[in-house]
Amino acid sequence: GAQCLALRHKRIHEMIELFKEIWATVQHNKLRTALTGFAVGWGIFILIFLLGAGNGLINAQMKQSEEFLKNSMVVYGGMTTKPHAGFNMGRRIELNNKDLQATSTAFSENIMKTGASLYKGGVVLRLGANYMANQTIEGTYPMRTEIDKIIIVHGRFINDIDIREMRKVIVLSQTQAKELLRDGDALLGKDIIVNESVFRVIGITKDDSSSSNSVAYAPFTTISTMYNYGHRVDRIEFSVAGLATAEESDAFVKKYRERINPNHDAAPDDDGALWIWNRLSQSLQMSTGISILRSALWIVGLLTLLSGIVGVSNIMLITVKERTREFGIRKALGASAWSILRMVIVESMVITTFFGYIGMLCGVIANEYMNATLGNQVVDAGIFQATMFLNPTVGIDVCLQATLVMVLAGTVAGFVPAYKASRMRPIVALNAK
């Protein structure tokens, strides 16, 4: 026990002496140490900063895409761009129930669920003395909540029974509910006046950053009958499956046009007759773009890190060369090759670890600053608001890995020349220039 304790004290004393020597060397070579530290810290800082900025852009784009069902498509009537069947170009197309029926039955191998919408603008919602003017009521189907990720905070959404029985039920937004009744949640089960008709409130949707907070939802069949829309359909929406690539998705859209366009005496290849929001293709392209952006950020960051590694290597080579005579004197006085090698390696590890940590800390602080400023900014496009920069941070595991790589590189950079110097004969080292 006493021998172990003495050995431990000896090792501690040796480490203390070693760090004293390193400190003395650093004090004597301040510029060299500063250059080495800057190369290490800058490389890690740039890597973390670039990855953080890239993640901020990527996270914002992913958040926007999460607001709707990725494997879905939305169809609106457009305007013909080609003359066909005796009609001139520039004719406006209005979707109808025939299109909805064809969508539901003709593409069963790819279309999973189908829905549609009708819009009635300029609606007044009233409860007692409280009212909201210029609102929009949308007649829709149950799958509407899946297509645009509408969140129900109280009650429920339109269901199949509402559609079948043409019930006069309505789903309001939180904004609408609060305007009609201070305690908006208490509106559930109550009757409100929609223009001149009575509707029962069955649900309340969560407000979002778009203009849909002024939209109330009712059964499609109810709105179609009430306002005598006949066979009119304003929007068709559906979810798709079995389309793995953007090319397959675009080919499906082409086939869909060829089937629906003739319903309106439009050319099968007229891309303007229908306006189709191909969310699946958009999502696949976004995923590809994000992958490319991630790869580019890593390449640039790693090249920056590599430049730091090269800088550290060059400085360590010069350092060892400058201290070759010192090593010769140490060996002449009885120092072992291992003690010289250990001194250089530990010095390299201490410098790269310290400045690597400083670079990592500065990178994390820069990312947090971006998050506190740019991360909270929202672009208002009128009909919607979008966050362009979200959570520009990097995982602590990436920060530690980058720092560890630089520390290992600095250690290796110091080891190779130090090993050669430690193997020199004292007389050769003393005569080195």
Side-chain angles (χ1 to χ4, degrees):
Q3 290 181 347
C4 291
L5 185 61
L7 182 60
R8 184 181 301 172
H9 282 297
K10 181 182 178 181
R11 289 178 177 174
I12 293 175
H13 178 72
E14 289 177 352
M15 290 300 298
I16 292 174
E17 291 300 318
L18 178 60
F19 279 108
K20 285 182 178 179
E21 288 185 22
I22 293 173
W23 177 249
T25 303
V26 169
Q27 289 288 94
H28 188 261
N29 300 278
K30 293 180 180 178
L31 179 60
R32 173 177 59 79
T33 303
L35 290 175
T36 306
F38 179 79
V40 173
W42 182 252
I44 294 175
F45 170 80
I46 289 297
L47 175 63
I48 295 174
F49 180 79
L50 283 176
L51 291 178
N55 286 341
L57 295 173
I58 291 171
N59 292 337
Q61 292 301 314
M62 292 181 67
K63 181 184 178 183
Q64 297 300 325
S65 67
E66 288 173 357
E67 294 181 357
F68 54 79
L69 186 65
K70 293 180 181 180
N71 61 315
S72 66
M73 299 185 189
V74 180
V75 184
Y76 295 91
M79 186 174 290
T80 58
T81 57
K82 299 177 179 181
H84 184 74
F87 294 97
N88 294 326
M89 60 184 291
R91 182 165 49 90
R92 185 166 296 280
I93 300 300
E94 184 178 276
L95 300 176
N96 54 45
N97 285 330
K98 185 178 179 181
D99 303 323
L100 179 59
Q101 182 66 25
T103 302
S104 302
T105 58
F107 304 94
S108 57
E109 68 276 13
N110 293 119
I111 294 181
M112 300 296 101
K113 294 182 180 180
T114 306
S117 294
L118 283 169
Y119 299 96
K120 174 63 178 177
V123 172
V124 178
L125 306 179
R126 186 184 303 275
L127 179 65
N130 298 327
Y131 70 93
M132 291 191 73
N134 295 321
Q135 301 298 292
T136 299
I137 186 167
E138 177 181 340
T140 191
Y141 281 81
M143 76 165 300
R144 185 73 170 82
T145 54
E146 299 178 32
I147 290 291
D148 285 338
K149 301 293 181 69
I150 298 172
I151 299 174
I152 303 296
V153 292
H154 297 289
R156 64 174 179 84
F157 198 68
I158 308 301
N159 61 29
D160 292 330
I161 299 176
D162 298 328
I163 298 290
R164 187 168 58 251
E165 297 183 358
M166 294 185 290
R167 291 176 173 175
K168 287 187 176 181
V169 293
I170 192 168
V171 179
L172 303 175
S173 69
Q174 287 178 313
T175 298
Q176 292 169 331
K178 290 178 182 178
E179 286 292 326
L180 295 178
L181 190 66
R182 178 173 296 181
D183 182 10
D185 302 345
L187 267 179
L188 285 179
K190 293 185 180 296
D191 293 335
I192 66 171
I193 305 299
V194 179
N195 284 348
E196 303 300 327
S197 301
V198 178
F199 277 71
R200 176 154 295 177
V201 178
I202 60 170
I204 298 174
T205 62
K206 182 180 179 180
D207 283 347
D208 58 23
S209 57
S210 71
S211 61
S212 62
N213 298 330
S214 62
V215 177
Y217 302 94
F220 180 93
T221 50
T222 304
I223 300 304
S224 178
T225 302
M226 278 184 59
Y227 296 103
N228 196 26
Y229 281 153
H231 297 292
R232 168 182 157 184
V233 174
D234 290 331
R235 154 178 164 155
I236 296 174
E237 55 202 15
F238 50 87
S239 58
V240 295
L243 305 174
T245 64
E247 290 74 19
E248 291 180 0
S249 177
D250 293 339
F252 169 82
V253 168
K254 181 181 179 181
K255 184 170 67 172
Y256 183 84
R257 289 186 191 278
E258 292 173 350
R259 174 63 181 82
I260 302 300
N261 280 10
N263 289 349
H264 305 276
D265 295 317
D269 60 344
D270 190 343
D271 293 341
L274 301 177
W275 187 86
I276 301 177
W277 182 2
N278 189 347
R279 292 169 167 179
L280 176 60
S281 183
Q282 175 183 318
S283 176
L284 293 171
Q285 292 171 359
M286 182 180 296
S287 297
T288 302
I290 287 175
S291 297
I292 294 173
L293 178 58
R294 286 190 191 277
S295 299
L297 288 171
W298 271 106
I299 290 172
V300 173
L302 291 176
L303 288 175
T304 305
L305 200 62
L306 181 61
S307 68
I309 293 172
V310 172
V312 171
S313 302
N314 290 334
I315 293 171
M316 292 306 299
L317 285 169
I318 296 172
T319 299
V320 173
K321 185 175 181 180
E322 288 179 348
R323 299 178 64 184
T324 302
R325 289 177 59 83
E326 175 193 336
F327 296 156
I329 294 173
R330 287 177 179 271
K331 293 195 72 174
L333 294 176
S336 65
W338 165 244
S339 65
I340 294 173
L341 185 62
R342 183 183 62 176
M343 180 181 64
V344 176
I345 291 176
V346 173
E347 178 183 339
S348 177
M349 289 182 64
V350 169
I351 293 174
T352 52
T353 301
F354 176 76
F355 285 101
Y357 176 78
I358 296 298
M360 181 185 74
L361 191 62
C362 290
V364 171
I365 292 173
N367 287 343
E368 289 298 327
Y369 177 76
M370 282 194 295
N371 191 32
T373 53
L374 297 177
N376 292 330
Q377 291 185 357
V378 175
V379 175
D380 192 344
I383 62 173
F384 68 93
Q385 294 178 331
T387 302
M388 304 305 295
F389 211 69
L390 180 66
N391 190 25
T393 56
V394 179
I396 190 64
D397 56 332
V398 175
C399 298
L400 293 176
Q401 288 169 7
T403 306
L404 181 61
V405 167
M406 187 62 83
V407 170
L408 291 175
T411 303
V412 172
F415 174 81
V416 175
Y419 179 78
K420 292 181 179 180
S422 67
R423 294 296 173 181
M424 280 187 181
R425 294 171 56 193
I427 186 66
V428 176
L430 288 171
N431 290 328
K433 296 181 181 180

